[in-house]
Amino acid sequence: MTGYSAYRLDPGPLEPSVLTQQLTHRSRDIWNGSVNMILNTRRCDGKFWDLVKKYPIHPRVLKMIELSGLYGVYRSNRPSIDRSLITSLVERWRPETHTFHFRTGEATITLQDVEVLYGLPVNGDPVLGDESIRTIGDWQNICQRLLCFIPRPQDFNRSSLKVTALNAHMLEQLQIGVSGP
């Protein structure tokens, strides 16, 4: 076992001139011997998946999700988070080269990787675009047409509808359905 523990992985860059942010990069902590620092992670999808568990998505909505090509994301459900793995990847990510630096060489995540993992279509028109020309009133009309409710102006963050407004509307609809005739 002494041979195994004597093995030392050199975390420093092979070519220091390329990695200009090394002095402030997290991998410097490894170089200095601070290897027991696991990063904390935050996520914002917990309430969504709790709601989906409690109130399953209607089959018509699921059909629309399938037609949009986003069913792979829904099917993946709430993935578990491995904080140690994320910490390792953060330590290996280099913003200067947009790659992970491993002992075996450099690697990056491609659009094809995302397509395979989530079953997302990557060909065709983009889902998002510059919507800075729309007003809050335009967005309220779109919500009325597509979601059958009109959010208040404060429920928007520029061109985005806050999830809290959508959650409140959905819960209100569920309460009406339960207490209705």
Side-chain angles (χ1 to χ4, degrees):
M1 256 342 221
T2 42
Y4 178 75
S5 61
Y7 178 76
R8 178 162 161 73
L9 176 64
D10 183 2
L14 295 176
E15 176 55 52
S17 66
V18 176
L19 306 179
T20 58
Q21 298 176 8
Q22 183 61 27
L23 292 177
T24 58
H25 194 271
R26 179 163 170 80
S27 65
R28 185 169 177 229
D29 295 336
I30 298 171
W31 185 259
N32 292 334
S34 304
V35 292
N36 294 326
M37 298 170 29
I38 303 292
L39 293 175
N40 194 11
T41 57
R42 292 184 289 172
R43 59 186 309 157
C44 60
D45 63 345
K47 290 181 182 178
F48 171 78
W49 290 111
D50 291 342
L51 278 173
V52 168
K53 186 185 244 183
K54 190 173 181 178
Y55 308 104
I57 295 178
H58 193 279
R60 287 187 349 214
V61 175
L62 280 177
K63 185 66 177 166
M64 296 305 294
I65 292 172
E66 286 177 23
L67 290 173
S68 72
L70 297 173
Y71 187 73
V73 175
Y74 169 75
R75 189 185 67 231
S76 70
N77 207 324
R78 183 179 186 177
S80 61
I81 294 199
D82 184 341
R83 293 183 358 188
S84 297
L85 175 62
I86 290 175
T87 299
S88 297
L89 290 174
V90 166
E91 291 165 350
R92 297 287 183 181
W93 178 255
R94 299 311 304 222
E96 302 95 334
T97 58
H98 299 287
T99 57
F100 293 101
H101 285 236
F102 298 114
R103 289 185 61 217
T104 56
E106 294 181 46
T108 192
I109 299 171
T110 66
L111 189 57
Q112 184 180 15
D113 295 329
V114 175
E115 176 185 27
V116 169
L117 290 171
Y118 286 106
L120 293 173
V122 295
N123 298 324
D125 294 331
V127 175
L128 298 173
D130 182 19
E131 294 290 343
S132 59
I133 58 173
R134 293 187 195 254
T135 66
I136 295 296
D138 293 335
W139 286 115
Q140 286 175 315
N141 291 334
I142 290 170
C143 288
Q144 181 180 17
R145 183 169 46 89
L146 298 175
L147 303 173
C148 299
F149 86 103
I150 302 173
R152 303 168 301 168
Q154 59 265 32
D155 290 335
F156 291 93
N157 182 6
R158 286 187 245 143
S159 61
S160 299
L161 176 64
K162 294 179 182 175
V163 174
T164 53
L166 193 55
N167 282 344
H169 173 71
M170 291 172 59
L171 289 173
E172 181 182 301
Q173 295 303 308
L174 290 170
Q175 292 171 353
I176 291 172
V178 170
S179 64

